[in-house]
Amino acid sequence: MSLTAFGLIILAGLIHAGWNIAAKRAGGDARFAFFTSILNMAVWAPLGWWLGRDAVPLWGAREWGIVAVSGLLHVLYYVVLLRGYRKADLTVVYPLARGTGPLLSSMVAITFLGEHLSALGALGVAGVVGGVFLIAGGPGLLRAAKDPAARSQVHKGMLYGVLTGVFIASYTVVDGYAVKAMLLSPILVDYMGNLARIALLSPVALRRPRELAPLWRAQWKYALLVAAVSPVAYVLVLYAMQSAPMSHVAPAREVSMLFAALIGGHLLKEGDRKARIFGAVLIAAGVTALGLG
């Protein structure tokens, strides 16, 4: 991986962790995702029009199909992530979500595609498992077993984190194919995929219209922040994928877990911060070893 690609991924990781903390604080659901998508469309409309005015009219069924699939996967990812943030701590949900995607990709390749796990890869698996244990509570997990409420919250965080990771792995493969194999513009893949997300979220968001106004007043600042910066983080990753192997980019993205565990633990006052930060370090090291090994 080139230094430029690595730098893009580090910057993307910091931005990604920041907007996830904003989303956690918003405490929103699918309607917050809808607000975010609408603002995303508005904020980035000039750039989307400038890049798409010549390219998009040339798109055929294949291009629109990949964008539609990308939009669907991103919606499922975001809605599940937001639900996880309402049910559990960010320092449980976020690192598990970010660590599961590369781990699943590697395990599928080993199980179904005949790839072999090197010694470095085996160490990576051990790092991910150990990191998951620490983020889920570490030794405190044994204490939580005696407290039904604490145990339930940890289990919910793990469930939503892993499920979010499944969708992360899915859209990473789809979008990586779009920009590497189909040579689509990363910016257009994200922007046009966002239009698909609006179409998918509209029926849910508009189902109870009377609730939208108070939700908007409470959440618009968080939604605007996410809409303004989250596309930047993801587009940087897509550009990195154009010049570096996907198997290296996906694990390297997990540096965002370190930022989230550190910043989230401080700002959101979530417990066991030291153990969770160390767990995030282990997962980041583990998925990087998987990508290299």
Side-chain angles (χ1 to χ4, degrees):
M1 184 185 299
S2 69
L3 185 60
T4 299
F6 187 72
L8 292 176
I9 293 167
I10 295 296
L11 179 58
L14 180 58
I15 297 171
H16 194 278
W19 77 251
N20 271 265
I21 291 169
K24 165 68 174 177
R25 283 192 157 184
D29 53 17
R31 290 167 293 188
F32 179 75
F34 178 72
F35 295 153
T36 301
S37 295
I38 291 291
L39 290 170
N40 185 326
M41 178 184 67
V43 169
W44 296 102
L47 183 59
W49 174 81
W50 179 261
L51 294 176
R53 57 179 180 170
D54 295 325
V56 172
L58 301 177
W59 284 8
R62 187 163 170 254
E63 287 79 6
W64 285 111
I66 201 79
V67 166
V69 172
S70 172
L72 174 61
L73 292 172
H74 278 273
V75 164
L76 294 173
Y77 148 74
Y78 198 23
V79 170
V80 171
L81 179 69
L82 291 175
R83 186 171 180 82
Y85 285 163
R86 295 197 307 275
K87 300 291 184 179
D89 289 350
L90 175 139
T91 42
V92 173
V93 177
Y94 186 82
L96 283 175
R98 300 309 311 171
T100 301
L103 178 61
L104 287 177
S105 301
S106 298
M107 294 301 98
V108 169
I110 293 166
T111 304
F112 297 104
L113 302 181
E115 295 186 5
H116 299 286
L117 187 65
S118 67
L120 183 60
L123 286 175
V125 172
V128 171
V129 172
V132 167
F133 176 69
L134 288 174
I135 288 171
L141 204 56
L142 301 177
R143 296 191 300 270
K146 301 178 181 178
D147 183 350
R151 183 172 66 249
S152 175
Q153 186 177 32
V154 168
H155 288 172
K156 287 178 180 178
M158 294 175 70
L159 172 63
Y160 284 109
V162 170
L163 185 57
T164 302
V166 171
F167 290 120
I168 289 174
S170 301
Y171 76 62
T172 298
V173 172
V174 169
D175 293 349
Y177 178 82
V179 301
K180 290 180 76 72
M182 299 177 65
L183 302 180
L184 298 182
S185 163
I187 294 175
L188 286 180
V189 168
D190 185 71
Y191 188 79
M192 301 308 290
N194 181 65
L195 299 184
R197 295 194 287 273
I198 292 174
L200 292 167
L201 288 165
S202 294
V204 178
L206 301 177
R207 186 171 52 193
R208 295 190 293 270
R210 292 183 180 179
E211 297 179 7
L212 286 181
L215 281 175
W216 170 258
R217 287 192 293 270
Q219 298 176 352
W220 74 267
K221 291 182 181 179
Y222 295 112
L224 180 59
L225 175 62
V226 174
V229 303
S230 64
V232 177
Y234 192 55
V235 166
L236 290 175
V237 170
L238 292 180
Y239 273 113
M241 282 187 188
Q242 287 186 321
S243 61
M246 190 186 306
S247 61
H248 291 183
V249 172
R253 289 185 68 194
E254 310 320 315
V255 69
S256 64
M257 294 185 301
L258 308 183
F259 300 128
L262 180 61
I263 300 172
H266 176 69
L267 293 180
L268 303 176
K269 309 299 181 184
E270 296 177 356
D272 299 320
R273 182 173 56 166
K274 291 182 179 179
R276 289 176 177 177
I277 290 173
F278 185 57
V281 172
L282 280 180
I283 294 180
V287 294
T288 301
L290 279 170
L292 297 175

